[in-house]
Amino acid sequence: MSDASRGGDTGAGSGARPPGERDTARAAERLAARLPDELAPLARLAFDLSWSWEPGGAELFRSVDPLRWERVIHNPIRLLLETPISRLKAVARDRDLLQRFVALESRLAARRAEPLEAPGAGPSASRPVAFLCAEFGAHCSLPIYAGGLGLLAGDLLREAADRAFPMVGLGLYYREGYFRQRLDPSGRQHEYWIERHPELRPLALVTNGAGEELTVPVRIRDREVRLQVWRAELGRASLYLLDADRPENRIIDRWITTRLYDSDSEVRLAQYAALGIGGMRALAAMGIEPSVVHLNEGHAALASLELLREGVKAGISVDAAAKTVREKIVFTTHTPVAAGNEGYTAAELHNVLGHLPEELGLTPEELAGMGRIHPDDAHEPFRLTVLALRNGRASNGVSRIHGGVAREMWRGLWPDQPVDEVPIRHVTNGAHLPGWMAPPMRRLLARHLGEGFERRAADPATWEPVVGIPDEELWATRGALRRALVEFVRERTVEDRLRRGEPMAYVEEAARNFDPDVLTVGFARRLATYKRLHLLASDARRALGLLRGERPIQIVIAGKAHPRDEEAKGVLQRLFGLKREPTVGGRVAFLEDYDAVTASRLVSGCDVWLNLPRPPLEASGTSGMKSAFNGGLQLSVLDGWWAEAWNGDNGWAVAADPAPDEAARDARDAARVFDLLEGEVGTLFYERDAGGIPRGWVRRIKESLRSIGPRFCATRMLDDYARDVYPS
Ligand SMILES: *Cc1c(COP(=O)(O)O)cnc(C)c1O
């Protein structure tokens, strides 16, 4: 790389501090300088995202200014900048509160000072795993995610931070992030975007040794685009985010990092060039030499071409260079849906990356062929998934079933192998337990499983004491979580309905009728058609019966439809067609603009978590794991992770048997869901003993925690990657 200067603040040799750490510390000092002196620890904490999953972390920041904390969407930087000085001075005089902040700050600082784990074979402190992903959901104050893929990436990085596993995250900083959702009274979805200034986020611009902003060039559309690098700190892990919003770039090029999954396919390809090519260059400029480059989904696959280019430039033949590239790259595929494995035409490839073939010593056709199953088929699009599968030494899907689906899907790349031997394996996803388990549940489990049980979560023995938790205590905790959700739903529905301009009687209907003692069912996820939200409304008579019955249920729904997915948008509108039916407005709540804040409320408060994908299209699913950590019970199709988790006693299953056609499958599965909700689920929840405890229900919660906790936490997931995938 010609001009990316190596920084004196950089150099990731063992024992060295992570590149950009000093920039983060300076950003914290600048923030502290604007606050009363006593609040310096708050400013430092604000820049280490690991406050957010430390016990008590969120409560501490909330206590600075509770209402503002919600308004700034749990962003401590904005909280400290926007809270009136009179209130900040009051906090500065509150010795007890300050003391607790100081204690938390020193806990996190001690953790950051720990040496990185040396896992043995494979990655090490000086040669970490570089984990590349188009989206990261590390915290809601950094809204650069769309859904499951980003949250999964964030969860893996948070897990790496917890155990000082040598991993750095690489992504893009999108100024407008993903779209925000509003519905109109007919249930029609509208999208809009808001600018999120990086200066108001827990981010610091990485500088080089000369104190200048570190930038790397990437050639896109035949122009050099300069990318700067933001660093987010997650304890011992760093997340580096590339950003094209620099004055020397033309407006059209600054746009590249504006919106996650931009609607224009050439802009998306430019984003993936920034991520893959820019990402590798940024690492080099910061002095990080990864031992493994983990492409999390195909978006980052152009990284392999940058590594290839380096080899060719060093004078190695393309074939020899390709071999060394392969040794470095591992790939995880997440999408069994064709649309998720996007393809580009030769013209698009040429328009965005026309200079690339020459740099690699290839013809344009040869380059295009690297992303095709049949390289010579000029009609086949260039797919990043294919490029990643071809250029990686290990590939995996994200559940046992999905591993099989992926082998079937991509078998054309290995035409001589039987499908079972197609080299795609699986690592089942997991969720970051400390990040998703609500504080009351965490306190309960810490009492019974022992302090620090989170770090031992992958060991089944850790969870054995769950059976001994007094039913009364577990039920009281569930009650508290349900009450908190009901409170949240009451407020949010009023707000959402007022914004939609609904009649006043309807505006307050859920606020009056949502009931902390009623069986609460949650359905929240991307509203892709295959997730089958429509099943809920497919039999209106039975659905209404459930809401109005002797053993009523209430339902909370949330999710965004892809802006161009008219079918999914139609499903939402048809669902809204039922809203004027008596009792519906008071027992069904659609929460607009599903995001990680809403998700954490829902997964902790719902008694039953519904998942109705059309098999085998659910690669894994992770929201159900989050629900299970909080004592929610799953009612789900046996697809993705649930096919591995269900044991007959820890929730309910809808069989994934074949059906003559999709309509028949939908009808059968909907009937099964209604049968369960009207029958066993409702009975078990409302069957109370003299003390008011539903013993059978509580027994199921315990079985769910015991069987799901150790197997679907991110600790187990990272264990699997560290043991089976990362060592070469
Ligand atoms: C966990 C999570 C998801 C993924 O949920 P699925 O079960 O895969 O549908 C999506 N969005 C948010 C905000 C989440 O927290």
Side-chain angles (χ1 to χ4, degrees), residues 18 54-55 60 86 152 164-165 242 272 294 465 490 535 537 678 702:
E54 270 297 300
L60 276 181
S86 55
L152 190 273
F165 186 89
L242 279 65
Y272 304 148
H294 186 167
R490 287 174 170 173
L535 296 195
E678 291 163 358
K702 290 181 177 180

Side-chain angles (χ1 to χ4, degrees), residues 145-148 151 436 524-526 531 594-596 599 609 611 618 621-624 626:
Y145 60 88
L151 274 303
W436 290 107
R525 51 191 33 88
R526 253 177 336 107
K531 303 261 192 183
Y594 185 49
D595 66 0
W609 196 250
N611 193 15
E618 178 84 327
T622 49
S623 57
K626 303 167 191 170

